[in-house]
Amino acid sequence: DTAVSQTPKYLVTQMGNDKSIKCEQNLGHDTMYWYKQDSKKFLKIMFSYNNKELIINETVPNRFSPKSPDKAHLNLHINSLELGDSAVYFCASSQGDHNSPLHFGNGTRLTVT
Amino acid sequence: GENVEQHPSTLSVQEGDSAVIKCTYSDSASNYFPWYKQELGKRPQLIIDIRSNVGEKKDQRIAVTLNKTAKHFSLHITETQPEDSAVYFCAASKSNYQLIWGAGTKLIIKP
């Protein structure tokens, strides 16, 4: 009955590879997010989708491409991985466009070697 | 744009004492101020939030105060316990799409 689930939990890959992280929420929320947390613990928003529409696209390399097939899913595809992409990536969801709590997934620790 | 500053970056308190973490924001139109707790290796989780129409909110040992004039808000934890050890993040927003985060405070509870 996990509310926000993302897979995989760990991802170790080499530079130049392409990888995807999947996220699903069963809370019925309208809005989903991808956050990046670096080694210094800074939480940085990357993308936000509301009802499958992209509403936030921060300054992120175009190697990162989000895809939302429906409002319960938001996947993140990363092309040509670089060392600096190593971080923990969190998916989150919230209800609509109100100021409401974010529900985070358990994170995907990406290590690029 | 909005900016949120959080202090201190690290806070060490004796078990049983109180801890206070402070955040300041720059955009006077901000109206929602959540606090998240992130334990080591875990996901951030909301512990308390406050909206601009109230000045204080309490939930057991945790309280948040908001001073709109000075544009700052604080998290207060009383009677600290070992399980309070974590990184705490403040945030501010005008809408849920524009949540601006503080840099985090590592709270260490000394036995």
Side-chain angles (χ1 to χ4, degrees):
Chain A
D1 61 344
T2 304
V4 181
S5 59
Q6 55 182 108
T7 55
K9 187 175 173 70
Y10 299 98
L11 189 51
V12 181
T13 188
Q14 291 184 327
M15 281 195 301
N17 285 348
D18 303 338
K19 291 294 178 185
S20 292
I21 308 172
K22 295 186 175 182
C23 181
E24 176 182 3
Q25 55 96 4
N26 63 6
L27 296 167
H29 287 168
D30 294 328
T31 309
M32 296 185 72
Y33 310 80
W34 277 111
Y35 276 87
K36 178 181 180 180
Q37 186 171 45
D38 61 22
S39 57
K40 294 184 178 179
K41 303 297 183 187
F42 294 133
L43 275 167
K44 180 182 175 183
I45 189 164
M46 301 173 69
F47 303 102
S48 176
Y49 272 73
N50 177 260
N51 281 318
K52 303 192 298 175
E53 298 286 329
L54 179 66
I55 53 172
I56 292 179
N57 183 356
E58 290 296 306
T59 308
V60 175
N62 57 15
R63 299 182 294 105
F64 290 80
S65 52
K67 280 193 171 48
S68 182
D70 55 61
K71 74 173 193 176
H73 295 83
L74 181 61
N75 303 322
L76 183 66
H77 188 74
I78 316 170
N79 289 328
S80 304
L81 279 155
E82 300 178 358
L83 291 176
D85 298 332
S86 295
V88 179
Y89 292 84
F90 285 101
C91 176
S93 71
S94 68
Q95 182 57 42
D97 59 354
H98 308 290
N99 292 340
S100 56
L102 294 177
H103 295 255
F104 284 88
N106 288 325
T108 295
R109 181 173 293 276
L110 172 65
T111 304
V112 182
T113 61
Chain B
E2 171 71 288
N3 183 47
V4 174
E5 293 191 0
Q6 182 172 348
H7 299 281
S9 56
T10 304
L11 178 60
S12 184
V13 302
Q14 205 70 37
E15 182 179 348
D17 288 350
S18 295
V20 181
I21 302 170
K22 298 180 180 179
C23 289
T24 60
Y25 59 99
S26 58
D27 191 336
S28 56
S30 293
N31 57 10
Y32 177 61
F33 308 92
W35 286 89
Y36 286 81
K37 174 184 180 182
Q38 186 178 25
E39 296 177 14
L40 188 62
K42 302 285 182 65
R43 58 194 168 99
Q45 290 188 281
L46 181 80
I47 54 171
I48 196 166
D49 57 8
I50 193 167
R51 299 183 190 276
S52 57
N53 58 347
V54 298
E56 184 175 4
K57 185 176 179 180
K58 281 186 179 180
D59 183 2
Q60 299 182 337
R61 296 186 297 108
I62 292 172
V64 57
T65 58
L66 172 64
N67 183 326
K68 286 189 293 184
T69 303
K71 290 190 282 190
H72 65 69
F73 56 112
S74 300
L75 178 71
H76 304 253
I77 306 174
T78 58
E79 301 172 16
T80 53
Q81 300 169 4
E83 53 265 35
D84 295 329
S85 293
V87 176
Y88 292 80
F89 293 94
C90 65
S93 81
K94 295 183 290 189
S95 78
N96 208 27
Y97 307 145
Q98 299 175 33
L99 195 61
I100 307 299
W101 295 79
T105 295
K106 183 176 183 180
L107 177 61
I108 300 166
I109 308 300
K110 296 181 289 186

